[in-house]
Amino acid sequence: MTAEEASLAGERDVYWFVGGPLDGRVHTREPSEPAPCTVRYTHLHDGPKIVHHYDLHEVAGHGGEYRLRRPHAGDSGGDDVKDDVDDGEDYDGDPPDPADGTG
């Protein structure tokens, strides 16, 4: 069963990522588990830390789309946490899919 079929069957909510480094990824959650309004993805490599923010947009059915937040003019590209307020859930990748036997 695909993630979309599971969502339509009422088993799990499905969230798609649109834009940026997570474009095309799909994340599922239990319907009882609230989805964060913002997801923060931190890309670490040999250069500086790059932080991308995705904002939740509701779609019909169960779940939604996380769309890449466009940087503001003059944004340094760093983390947008101000006054020690966390602005989103960190994205650490999708959990193993128990249906494929890898988790």
Side-chain angles (χ1 to χ4, degrees):
M1 177 181 292
T2 67
E4 187 172 4
E5 291 169 337
S7 174
L8 295 175
E11 294 178 20
R12 293 181 67 86
D13 289 346
V14 180
Y15 298 88
W16 288 266
F17 286 87
V18 178
L22 298 180
D23 191 39
R25 293 200 191 179
V26 176
H27 184 75
T28 60
R29 291 180 175 274
E30 292 296 327
S32 60
E33 183 182 345
C37 294
T38 301
V39 171
R40 180 179 53 232
Y41 174 73
T42 304
H43 179 74
L44 300 174
H45 53 88
D46 291 334
K49 172 176 78 168
I50 300 173
V51 179
H52 293 90
H53 291 90
Y54 290 83
D55 296 313
L56 179 61
H57 294 265
E58 296 294 326
V59 296
H62 298 277
E65 285 183 349
Y66 280 104
R67 297 181 192 160
L68 180 65
R69 181 188 300 169
R70 299 292 173 209
H72 300 289
D75 207 355
S76 65
D79 202 343
D80 288 343
V81 177
K82 296 179 181 81
D83 300 323
D84 297 324
V85 175
D86 190 1
D87 61 350
E89 178 179 282
D90 288 330
Y91 181 84
D92 296 322
D94 293 324
D97 186 356
D100 68 9
T102 61

